[in-house]
Amino acid sequence: MRILVTGAAGFIGSHLCEKLASLHHEVFGIDNFNKYYDVKLKELNASDLENVGVKIYRLDLNDDLKSVFETPFDYIYHLAAQPGISSDTSLNDYVTNNIFATQNLLESVLTYNSDLKLFVNISTSSVYGSVATVDEEVTPKPISFYGTTKLAAEQLVLGLERTNKLKACSIRLYSVYGPRERPEKLYTKLIDNLHNNQPFPLFEGSVKHERSFTFVGDIVDGLASIIGNESVVNGEIINLGTDVVNTTQEGISIVEEILNKKLVIDHQPARKGDQQKTSAVINKAVKLLNYKPKSTLKDGLQKQVDWYFEKFVK
């Protein structure tokens, strides 16, 4: 199959590209290599992808995408987005990169790639709001710019499916971690601060937050299993995560154990828009995709520590 992945040089996108390439698909990626975090990290990911034969288009999804669709694709996985809930990111950035970019991609698909087998939109548990412990039938109640604009993007995609213009589904991911995780995310920052004996900024109350911390390898296995199942998932919203819940403190303790160091905490005020609890209800993913997340938090964090030392510790 010929497959396009947006956000290909990012955390989850790069792992998905590698997974699809390992399954002998012809994989292409788009990434704009923006400066939300150090571009050098995306360059490292892109280099790994090029080594396994993935072609990367260095384009913004708001650009003219005609050149990308010179040969049509069988599947598109749309992961590119303005991530996170940073107060430094404006509403305009979220709207531009999550809503306008998605719409431009969709218009390009309808114009140049109308025989697409399936458009896979990657959404987030943040659409559910402060407590994400529900199934896909519950009305979303996002509390952040990120969750709100990702929900809007999801509806742009599914609106085309409802009007029979596009075959599509939307996958809501839960607290993904692992090698290549963004530097401002919990575990990469935690590992880096512990290794370098730096105080770790921790938002008030966050040690008690409960999360379905899901290893990236389990996520990409689930995403790859969509191929060939388009008739089953078309029009569906599907939660993808682990049904095992850990507190942030449990995750911190595991990393402290792996590195044999004790964390020094820099206490920060509570962060607006933070989810209090996530617990992935994955019955639909199990039924439709035979999805079986298998990585424990300790095993996944060991792999993330190993990646960090391989890439950044000389």
Side-chain angles (χ1 to χ4, degrees), residues 7 32 34-37 42 60-62 78-86 88-99 101-102 122 124 144-150 153 182 184:
N32 66 358
N34 69 24
K35 297 180 180 179
Y36 178 74
Y37 60 88
K42 283 196 170 187
D60 192 293
L61 288 181
N62 287 295
H78 178 38
L79 288 86
Q82 182 68 50
I85 57 172
S86 171
D88 295 331
T89 305
S90 69
L91 175 58
N92 183 66
D93 287 336
Y94 288 108
V95 171
T96 298
N97 295 318
N98 293 351
I99 299 178
T102 299
I122 305 303
T124 169
S144 64
F145 291 158
Y146 172 62
T148 300
T149 54
K150 286 293 287 181
R182 300 195 315 269
E184 89 281 6

Side-chain angles (χ1 to χ4, degrees), residues 25-265:
H25 297 294
E26 189 178 4
V27 184
F28 298 78
I30 296 180
D31 204 292
N32 66 358
F33 291 81
N34 69 24
K35 297 180 180 179
Y36 178 74
Y37 60 88
D38 191 347
V39 175
K40 292 179 182 177
L41 298 179
K42 283 196 170 187
E43 295 289 358
L44 282 174
N45 297 343
S47 177
D48 289 342
L49 295 183
E50 288 164 354
N51 288 338
V52 296
V54 177
K55 176 179 173 57
I56 304 292
Y57 294 96
R58 293 172 180 259
L59 288 172
D60 192 293
L61 288 181
N62 287 295
D63 295 338
D64 184 344
L65 302 177
K66 182 178 180 180
S67 62
V68 177
F69 291 94
E70 288 178 351
T71 304
F73 300 98
D74 298 296
Y75 295 86
I76 294 175
Y77 286 85
H78 178 38
L79 288 86
Q82 182 68 50
I85 57 172
S86 171
S87 59
D88 295 331
T89 305
S90 69
L91 175 58
N92 183 66
D93 287 336
Y94 288 108
V95 171
T96 298
N97 295 318
N98 293 351
I99 299 178
F100 291 163
T102 299
Q103 181 61 20
N104 190 52
L105 175 62
L106 290 170
E107 290 174 355
S108 299
V109 171
L110 295 179
T111 302
Y112 306 118
N113 204 155
S114 58
D115 59 347
L116 186 74
K117 291 181 183 295
L118 191 71
F119 187 103
V120 184
N121 180 68
I122 305 303
S123 187
T124 169
S125 66
S126 291
V127 304
Y128 290 120
S130 61
V131 178
T133 60
V134 294
D135 67 20
E136 300 86 347
E137 300 301 316
V138 171
T139 301
K141 297 178 180 179
I143 58 172
S144 64
F145 291 158
Y146 172 62
T148 300
T149 54
K150 286 293 287 181
L151 180 60
E154 178 179 270
Q155 289 305 305
L156 287 174
V157 174
L158 295 179
L160 293 178
E161 188 281 327
R162 295 185 200 109
T163 53
N164 299 313
K165 296 176 182 176
L166 185 72
K167 292 182 178 179
C169 64
S170 191
I171 312 298
R172 294 174 177 170
L173 306 185
Y174 282 72
S175 302
V176 188
Y177 74 97
R180 300 179 183 154
E181 186 181 48
R182 300 195 315 269
E184 89 281 6
K185 294 284 283 181
L186 172 62
Y187 288 120
T188 296
K189 190 171 184 63
L190 175 61
I191 293 165
D192 184 70
N193 284 35
L194 260 175
H195 172 67
N196 291 296
N197 301 308
Q198 296 293 321
F200 180 74
L202 202 60
F203 299 105
E204 182 181 350
S206 61
V207 292
K208 297 180 180 179
H209 289 174
E210 298 178 9
R211 294 282 185 270
S212 286
F213 291 118
T214 312
F215 185 62
V216 66
D218 290 329
I219 288 292
V220 300
D221 284 349
L223 293 176
S225 70
I226 291 172
I227 296 173
N229 284 313
E230 55 270 15
S231 62
V232 175
V233 302
N234 184 42
E236 299 287 353
I237 295 170
I238 303 172
N239 292 337
L240 210 61
T242 176
D243 52 4
V244 177
V245 174
N246 293 96
T247 65
T248 299
Q249 181 59 63
E250 288 173 326
I252 290 172
S253 297
I254 290 172
V255 177
E256 288 179 323
E257 179 185 346
I258 291 172
L259 292 178
N260 194 27
K261 287 190 173 185
K262 188 66 177 177
L263 186 66
V264 177
I265 295 176

